[in-house]
Amino acid sequence: MGNKKLSSLVLLSLSSALVLAACGGEGSTADSSESAGANGSDQVLNLIESAEIPTMDSVQATDTVAFTALSNVNEGLYRQGLDGTVELGIAAEDPTVSEDGLVYTFTIRDEANWSNGEPVTADDFVYSWRKLVDPASAASYSYMMDGVIANATEIIAGEVAPEELGVKAIDEKTLEITLTSPVPYFKDLLTLAMFFPQNQAFVEEQGDQYALSSDALLYNGPFVLANWDAASLSWTYEPNAEYWDKDAVKLDAINVEVIKETSTALNLYDTDAIDRMILTGEYVAQRTGDAEMHTMPTSSVFYLKFNQQREGTPLQNANIRKALAMAFDKQAYADVVLQNGSIPANGLVPEKLALDPSTGEDFREQNGDLLTYNAEEAKTYFEQGLAELGVESITLELLSDDTENAKRSSEFLQSQLQTNLPGLTVTLRNVPFKVRLEADTSGEYDIELAGWGADYADPINFLELFQTENGNNKSGYSNAEYDALINEARTNVTDLDARWASLLAAEKILMEDAGIAPLYQRSYAVLQKPYVTDLGEHLVGADYSYKWASNSGTQNVD
């Protein structure tokens, strides 16, 4: 998920790779009024985000902030439960599946409605899914249906019309889906935002304003958005009165503010203005031993992405890329800059995501450390690369976000790279999250500090990112052998051991090419008030579920 945000074979036991860290309980020493929200209700939470929501169009969203919002105001056929396991969403029951494992027939709940009272129908899925794969949409996540839903590959390539996609409305509440080949993790895909429905009449009525403000959206999930547009630095989640499971929703409101400085957020937390925050850097050490702090593991891996598409860029040189990838001390970065439990990454696939289908060994442990910090080797590669380019020095720009932590990260990397690679100058460009995404899409960067969090618990969800034709691969990295291995893994669902071997080999090629430079696997150091209960934290998919969250309001007053 990009940052986002939106990957096991243990394909057959995906839910085991999900994690909940729902911190709750009693015993706050604050006055009871301090846990109440601005509207006077005790059932209010005040939260923060690190960036704006770029879009609320489920077809166009690519980042973790949008995916979190979408997954709390919308719902697919399935959703992640509080404990991260997959449970029924607006599907009334598990589907009937044909003997060959290719045709799924779902019944949509009779009580599933949009926020305007109209029923959610099978046609809403047909419309949204066709829109996702339509080349005219240029949707980055169209690849999630590529090789999964029948005819998706041909539609994305422009060879057949979107109407040929293997999804059909049998009647208003019956949806038939035909797969290209059996997909053991298909149920998990159906929890993701790009598989959500959209109401065609409403979308077309809104035109080019669709999903750019809270009033230009319909919702079929636990909450609706209020007071939001694409430039908003704040928004509110309110209960959706039309949600089929509205009785499970306890909160009256969730107020969200975009706060990019950890120091500002900490002041708000300590004055009870917000109920939860993520600590970074030296602030983690300051709160060591705090009973309100816990560690939230994630599947997100961050890396330097090298833009090889710009004409004449030195990043087309493999030795330059290898030098850059090996020239920064990842452990020091985790210990000094992050200080939140994050760990160095020496491959793309994260720890504890996926297990060998035969041995049960973790993918990361099995493939080992593939691209590690080594200043001496980095210098040698750099000198070789400069000689091959016929130059004595190069200048490269590092693109990153404008949050406090991103700025500190950029400065650390700049210092490490310039110190360990004489002849290299690194300039910094820190921009708002939305601007970085736009620069990524347009290719207006040299090196980008980027990241990916698993949409579902399988290594392919990471490794397919850097296939030549993948919509998320905007770096220009291309390797025919790598592409072939990913295609083998995507289509081979019968010989799971062979599939696993393909994925292991593909990651090794990506690292040998220094297609990217892995940096760290993220954990969050979270401060959360004791009265915040049942706020779901997930290892894959959307980071958070608010459906079951509440403000317990239980206080111990001196």
Side-chain angles (χ1 to χ4, degrees), residues 313-333:
T313 176
L315 293 170
Q316 291 174 342
N317 183 281
N319 284 320
I320 295 294
R321 296 196 306 273
K322 289 178 182 178
L324 294 167
M326 300 177 72
F328 48 87
D329 188 335
K330 303 174 190 183
Q331 190 64 58
Y333 175 78

PDB file of all heavy atoms in Angstrom, residues 313-333:
ATOM      1  N   THR A 313      20.876   9.702 -17.299  1.00  0.00           N
ATOM      2  CA  THR A 313      21.035   9.623 -15.853  1.00  0.00           C
ATOM      3  C   THR A 313      22.103   8.596 -15.483  1.00  0.00           C
ATOM      4  O   THR A 313      22.151   7.491 -16.048  1.00  0.00           O
ATOM      5  CB  THR A 313      19.708   9.247 -15.167  1.00  0.00           C
ATOM      6  OG1 THR A 313      19.946   9.097 -13.751  1.00  0.00           O
ATOM      7  CG2 THR A 313      19.148   7.940 -15.705  1.00  0.00           C
ATOM      8  N   PRO A 314      22.956   8.919 -14.531  1.00  0.00           N
ATOM      9  CA  PRO A 314      23.958   7.944 -14.083  1.00  0.00           C
ATOM     10  C   PRO A 314      23.328   6.741 -13.386  1.00  0.00           C
ATOM     11  O   PRO A 314      23.997   5.729 -13.193  1.00  0.00           O
ATOM     12  CB  PRO A 314      24.831   8.750 -13.118  1.00  0.00           C
ATOM     13  CG  PRO A 314      24.016   9.924 -12.717  1.00  0.00           C
ATOM     14  CD  PRO A 314      23.137  10.231 -13.880  1.00  0.00           C
ATOM     15  N   LEU A 315      22.048   6.841 -13.052  1.00  0.00           N
ATOM     16  CA  LEU A 315      21.369   5.738 -12.381  1.00  0.00           C
ATOM     17  C   LEU A 315      21.074   4.572 -13.314  1.00  0.00           C
ATOM     18  O   LEU A 315      20.645   3.509 -12.862  1.00  0.00           O
ATOM     19  CB  LEU A 315      20.069   6.239 -11.734  1.00  0.00           C
ATOM     20  CG  LEU A 315      20.286   7.218 -10.580  1.00  0.00           C
ATOM     21  CD1 LEU A 315      18.972   7.852 -10.150  1.00  0.00           C
ATOM     22  CD2 LEU A 315      20.954   6.534  -9.400  1.00  0.00           C
ATOM     23  N   GLN A 316      21.333   4.753 -14.594  1.00  0.00           N
ATOM     24  CA  GLN A 316      21.246   3.624 -15.515  1.00  0.00           C
ATOM     25  C   GLN A 316      22.453   2.706 -15.381  1.00  0.00           C
ATOM     26  O   GLN A 316      22.449   1.593 -15.900  1.00  0.00           O
ATOM     27  CB  GLN A 316      21.124   4.133 -16.958  1.00  0.00           C
ATOM     28  CG  GLN A 316      19.803   4.821 -17.244  1.00  0.00           C
ATOM     29  CD  GLN A 316      19.760   5.441 -18.632  1.00  0.00           C
ATOM     30  OE1 GLN A 316      20.803   5.651 -19.258  1.00  0.00           O
ATOM     31  NE2 GLN A 316      18.566   5.756 -19.104  1.00  0.00           N
ATOM     32  N   ASN A 317      23.467   3.168 -14.671  1.00  0.00           N
ATOM     33  CA  ASN A 317      24.673   2.385 -14.464  1.00  0.00           C
ATOM     34  C   ASN A 317      24.519   1.502 -13.226  1.00  0.00           C
ATOM     35  O   ASN A 317      24.292   1.994 -12.121  1.00  0.00           O
ATOM     36  CB  ASN A 317      25.875   3.323 -14.296  1.00  0.00           C
ATOM     37  CG  ASN A 317      27.180   2.570 -14.158  1.00  0.00           C
ATOM     38  OD1 ASN A 317      27.493   2.055 -13.093  1.00  0.00           O
ATOM     39  ND2 ASN A 317      27.951   2.524 -15.241  1.00  0.00           N
ATOM     40  N   ALA A 318      24.654   0.184 -13.404  1.00  0.00           N
ATOM     41  CA  ALA A 318      24.428  -0.756 -12.309  1.00  0.00           C
ATOM     42  C   ALA A 318      25.412  -0.547 -11.163  1.00  0.00           C
ATOM     43  O   ALA A 318      25.048  -0.694  -9.982  1.00  0.00           O
ATOM     44  CB  ALA A 318      24.509  -2.188 -12.822  1.00  0.00           C
ATOM     45  N   ASN A 319      26.654  -0.204 -11.468  1.00  0.00           N
ATOM     46  CA  ASN A 319      27.641  -0.006 -10.407  1.00  0.00           C
ATOM     47  C   ASN A 319      27.324   1.228  -9.561  1.00  0.00           C
ATOM     48  O   ASN A 319      27.550   1.227  -8.350  1.00  0.00           O
ATOM     49  CB  ASN A 319      29.052   0.109 -10.997  1.00  0.00           C
ATOM     50  CG  ASN A 319      29.599  -1.247 -11.416  1.00  0.00           C
ATOM     51  OD1 ASN A 319      29.396  -2.242 -10.720  1.00  0.00           O
ATOM     52  ND2 ASN A 319      30.273  -1.302 -12.557  1.00  0.00           N
ATOM     53  N   ILE A 320      26.805   2.267 -10.189  1.00  0.00           N
ATOM     54  CA  ILE A 320      26.385   3.452  -9.427  1.00  0.00           C
ATOM     55  C   ILE A 320      25.240   3.088  -8.494  1.00  0.00           C
ATOM     56  O   ILE A 320      25.231   3.462  -7.311  1.00  0.00           O
ATOM     57  CB  ILE A 320      25.969   4.601 -10.379  1.00  0.00           C
ATOM     58  CG1 ILE A 320      27.167   5.085 -11.200  1.00  0.00           C
ATOM     59  CG2 ILE A 320      25.335   5.746  -9.595  1.00  0.00           C
ATOM     60  CD1 ILE A 320      28.255   5.755 -10.388  1.00  0.00           C
ATOM     61  N   ARG A 321      24.274   2.326  -8.992  1.00  0.00           N
ATOM     62  CA  ARG A 321      23.138   1.924  -8.147  1.00  0.00           C
ATOM     63  C   ARG A 321      23.598   1.050  -6.977  1.00  0.00           C
ATOM     64  O   ARG A 321      23.156   1.221  -5.842  1.00  0.00           O
ATOM     65  CB  ARG A 321      22.081   1.186  -8.970  1.00  0.00           C
ATOM     66  CG  ARG A 321      21.426   2.027 -10.057  1.00  0.00           C
ATOM     67  CD  ARG A 321      20.137   1.375 -10.558  1.00  0.00           C
ATOM     68  NE  ARG A 321      20.333   0.000 -11.003  1.00  0.00           N
ATOM     69  CZ  ARG A 321      20.697  -0.352 -12.236  1.00  0.00           C
ATOM     70  NH1 ARG A 321      20.924   0.586 -13.151  1.00  0.00           N
ATOM     71  NH2 ARG A 321      20.832  -1.632 -12.564  1.00  0.00           N
ATOM     72  N   LYS A 322      24.505   0.092  -7.266  1.00  0.00           N
ATOM     73  CA  LYS A 322      25.002  -0.766  -6.194  1.00  0.00           C
ATOM     74  C   LYS A 322      25.742   0.055  -5.143  1.00  0.00           C
ATOM     75  O   LYS A 322      25.618  -0.188  -3.937  1.00  0.00           O
ATOM     76  CB  LYS A 322      25.926  -1.838  -6.771  1.00  0.00           C
ATOM     77  CG  LYS A 322      25.204  -2.907  -7.572  1.00  0.00           C
ATOM     78  CD  LYS A 322      26.185  -3.908  -8.161  1.00  0.00           C
ATOM     79  CE  LYS A 322      25.469  -4.943  -9.014  1.00  0.00           C
ATOM     80  NZ  LYS A 322      26.415  -5.905  -9.645  1.00  0.00           N
ATOM     81  N   ALA A 323      26.516   1.025  -5.591  1.00  0.00           N
ATOM     82  CA  ALA A 323      27.240   1.886  -4.656  1.00  0.00           C
ATOM     83  C   ALA A 323      26.270   2.632  -3.742  1.00  0.00           C
ATOM     84  O   ALA A 323      26.444   2.664  -2.519  1.00  0.00           O
ATOM     85  CB  ALA A 323      28.106   2.873  -5.433  1.00  0.00           C
ATOM     86  N   LEU A 324      25.266   3.212  -4.337  1.00  0.00           N
ATOM     87  CA  LEU A 324      24.283   3.948  -3.543  1.00  0.00           C
ATOM     88  C   LEU A 324      23.569   3.030  -2.559  1.00  0.00           C
ATOM     89  O   LEU A 324      23.309   3.398  -1.412  1.00  0.00           O
ATOM     90  CB  LEU A 324      23.255   4.609  -4.477  1.00  0.00           C
ATOM     91  CG  LEU A 324      23.788   5.723  -5.385  1.00  0.00           C
ATOM     92  CD1 LEU A 324      22.767   6.055  -6.466  1.00  0.00           C
ATOM     93  CD2 LEU A 324      24.116   6.971  -4.562  1.00  0.00           C
ATOM     94  N   ALA A 325      23.257   1.805  -3.003  1.00  0.00           N
ATOM     95  CA  ALA A 325      22.489   0.872  -2.181  1.00  0.00           C
ATOM     96  C   ALA A 325      23.285   0.357  -0.994  1.00  0.00           C
ATOM     97  O   ALA A 325      22.693  -0.078   0.011  1.00  0.00           O
ATOM     98  CB  ALA A 325      22.022  -0.304  -3.037  1.00  0.00           C
ATOM     99  N   MET A 326      24.619   0.416  -1.060  1.00  0.00           N
ATOM    100  CA  MET A 326      25.460  -0.157  -0.011  1.00  0.00           C
ATOM    101  C   MET A 326      26.158   0.903   0.833  1.00  0.00           C
ATOM    102  O   MET A 326      26.944   0.565   1.723  1.00  0.00           O
ATOM    103  CB  MET A 326      26.506  -1.081  -0.638  1.00  0.00           C
ATOM    104  CG  MET A 326      25.905  -2.233  -1.419  1.00  0.00           C
ATOM    105  SD  MET A 326      27.143  -3.274  -2.237  1.00  0.00           S
ATOM    106  CE  MET A 326      27.837  -4.113  -0.818  1.00  0.00           C
ATOM    107  N   ALA A 327      25.862   2.176   0.591  1.00  0.00           N
ATOM    108  CA  ALA A 327      26.664   3.253   1.178  1.00  0.00           C
ATOM    109  C   ALA A 327      26.048   3.902   2.405  1.00  0.00           C
ATOM    110  O   ALA A 327      26.570   4.918   2.879  1.00  0.00           O
ATOM    111  CB  ALA A 327      26.942   4.318   0.113  1.00  0.00           C
ATOM    112  N   PHE A 328      24.970   3.339   2.937  1.00  0.00           N
ATOM    113  CA  PHE A 328      24.390   3.945   4.145  1.00  0.00           C
ATOM    114  C   PHE A 328      24.190   2.888   5.221  1.00  0.00           C
ATOM    115  O   PHE A 328      23.814   1.753   4.940  1.00  0.00           O
ATOM    116  CB  PHE A 328      23.077   4.673   3.840  1.00  0.00           C
ATOM    117  CG  PHE A 328      22.096   3.888   3.018  1.00  0.00           C
ATOM    118  CD1 PHE A 328      21.194   3.017   3.606  1.00  0.00           C
ATOM    119  CD2 PHE A 328      22.065   4.032   1.639  1.00  0.00           C
ATOM    120  CE1 PHE A 328      20.289   2.294   2.853  1.00  0.00           C
ATOM    121  CE2 PHE A 328      21.155   3.314   0.868  1.00  0.00           C
ATOM    122  CZ  PHE A 328      20.270   2.443   1.485  1.00  0.00           C
ATOM    123  N   ASP A 329      24.463   3.280   6.449  1.00  0.00           N
ATOM    124  CA  ASP A 329      24.427   2.387   7.606  1.00  0.00           C
ATOM    125  C   ASP A 329      22.976   2.240   8.077  1.00  0.00           C
ATOM    126  O   ASP A 329      22.446   3.121   8.765  1.00  0.00           O
ATOM    127  CB  ASP A 329      25.309   2.951   8.719  1.00  0.00           C
ATOM    128  CG  ASP A 329      25.485   1.986   9.878  1.00  0.00           C
ATOM    129  OD1 ASP A 329      24.610   1.125  10.078  1.00  0.00           O
ATOM    130  OD2 ASP A 329      26.495   2.113  10.593  1.00  0.00           O
ATOM    131  N   LYS A 330      22.357   1.127   7.725  1.00  0.00           N
ATOM    132  CA  LYS A 330      20.934   0.927   8.028  1.00  0.00           C
ATOM    133  C   LYS A 330      20.680   0.760   9.522  1.00  0.00           C
ATOM    134  O   LYS A 330      19.654   1.221  10.040  1.00  0.00           O
ATOM    135  CB  LYS A 330      20.414  -0.282   7.267  1.00  0.00           C
ATOM    136  CG  LYS A 330      20.609  -0.194   5.765  1.00  0.00           C
ATOM    137  CD  LYS A 330      20.201  -1.482   5.056  1.00  0.00           C
ATOM    138  CE  LYS A 330      20.617  -1.466   3.608  1.00  0.00           C
ATOM    139  NZ  LYS A 330      20.176  -2.663   2.872  1.00  0.00           N
ATOM    140  N   GLN A 331      21.580   0.077  10.202  1.00  0.00           N
ATOM    141  CA  GLN A 331      21.386  -0.112  11.634  1.00  0.00           C
ATOM    142  C   GLN A 331      21.470   1.223  12.372  1.00  0.00           C
ATOM    143  O   GLN A 331      20.667   1.499  13.272  1.00  0.00           O
ATOM    144  CB  GLN A 331      22.430  -1.078  12.195  1.00  0.00           C
ATOM    145  CG  GLN A 331      22.144  -1.513  13.629  1.00  0.00           C
ATOM    146  CD  GLN A 331      20.857  -2.308  13.745  1.00  0.00           C
ATOM    147  OE1 GLN A 331      20.690  -3.349  13.109  1.00  0.00           O
ATOM    148  NE2 GLN A 331      19.915  -1.802  14.541  1.00  0.00           N
ATOM    149  N   ALA A 332      22.436   2.047  11.990  1.00  0.00           N
ATOM    150  CA  ALA A 332      22.540   3.373  12.601  1.00  0.00           C
ATOM    151  C   ALA A 332      21.291   4.200  12.302  1.00  0.00           C
ATOM    152  O   ALA A 332      20.805   4.944  13.168  1.00  0.00           O
ATOM    153  CB  ALA A 332      23.785   4.090  12.088  1.00  0.00           C
ATOM    154  N   TYR A 333      20.792   4.070  11.085  1.00  0.00           N
ATOM    155  CA  TYR A 333      19.569   4.800  10.726  1.00  0.00           C
ATOM    156  C   TYR A 333      18.408   4.384  11.631  1.00  0.00           C
ATOM    157  O   TYR A 333      17.678   5.229  12.160  1.00  0.00           O
ATOM    158  CB  TYR A 333      19.234   4.518   9.263  1.00  0.00           C
ATOM    159  CG  TYR A 333      17.925   5.112   8.806  1.00  0.00           C
ATOM    160  CD1 TYR A 333      17.824   6.457   8.498  1.00  0.00           C
ATOM    161  CD2 TYR A 333      16.789   4.319   8.685  1.00  0.00           C
ATOM    162  CE1 TYR A 333      16.625   7.012   8.080  1.00  0.00           C
ATOM    163  CE2 TYR A 333      15.583   4.866   8.264  1.00  0.00           C
ATOM    164  CZ  TYR A 333      15.514   6.206   7.969  1.00  0.00           C
ATOM    165  OH  TYR A 333      14.313   6.732   7.574  1.00  0.00           O
TER     166      TYR A 333
END
